Amino acid sequence: MGKEYKVVKATALSSVTFSVNEGEFLCIVGPSGCGKSTILRLIGGIEDKTLGEIEKPEGISMVFQSGALLPWMNVEENVSLVNKIKGYGVLKVKEISNQYLKMMDLKELKMRYPRELSGGQRQRVGIARALAVEPKVLLLDEPFSALDPVTTEEMHKYLLDIWFKTGKTIIMVSHSIEEALLLADRIMVMEKGKIKQVLNVEIERPRHEESEKIIKDAEKIKKIMESEFASQ
Ligand code: ADP
Ligand code: MG
């Protein structure tokens, strides 16, 4: 698939081909402007591709960096909104919302408004809302980049927990190679709208950020990012 912006004659994505396995955790890394968000928007159907094909499952839902919550709705209303729009009955909407509010430890906070939440709590609501759609695939675009390191670590635990419990396919853009190594089964390294390399992460779980293997693999990926493109 590819994406070209006709007006500005910029190519956000060249022809990229990749597939994602069901239940897999894939991280996309690469310098700013290389097309990571474009890939997610194309998969999520927020933008239309101009070239190629995308084969995707029915249920896809997206988590944005800022949480993107509606400020005039409380936590529970934010999480319930899509299912209400779908026309689900009151009880079913409540049941689904409660399930994901519980999973993200938000039950105590469900009457609060987004302005009354910390960054990490807001992002937990963003994830609960995405899960309430009951998607097969969860897309996350640098979801933790605005959070402090301690909160980020907490969010990693939540995300891995969801992944283990629900078996969802997760595609996440990250600006941190260490984060990608901590979470992903595979890492896709991008540059200038192209895929530079896709690597399997062969580190046993549970993983720890300070582990030697992560530090070593991070060095390896940084070298790949700095290297010239292999001629194609
Ligand atoms: P990343 O997420 O890797 O930082 P993006 O996918 O957001 O990068 O963007 C890839 C490229 O496409 C960038 O060069 C960006 O400037 C360009 N781009 C993104 N959105 C638009 C748009 N709506 N119109 C024109 N160019 C865009
Ligand atoms: Mg981006």
Side-chain angles (χ1 to χ4, degrees), residues 101-149:
L101 287 169
K102 188 167 166 220
M103 199 178 271
M104 299 309 291
D105 284 335
L106 291 165
K107 288 200 96 166
E108 318 270 276
L109 303 175
K110 70 182 187 182
M111 303 309 284
R112 291 220 197 157
Y113 286 84
R115 64 174 179 277
E116 299 165 334
L117 301 172
S118 70
Q121 290 166 341
R122 236 176 278 159
Q123 201 49 296
R124 267 151 57 199
V125 180
I127 295 174
R129 181 184 54 184
L131 289 169
V133 182
E134 312 216 281
K136 285 210 177 101
V137 182
L138 201 58
L139 307 176
L140 301 103
D141 194 355
E142 304 199 22
F144 313 134
S145 54
L147 304 177
D148 62 78

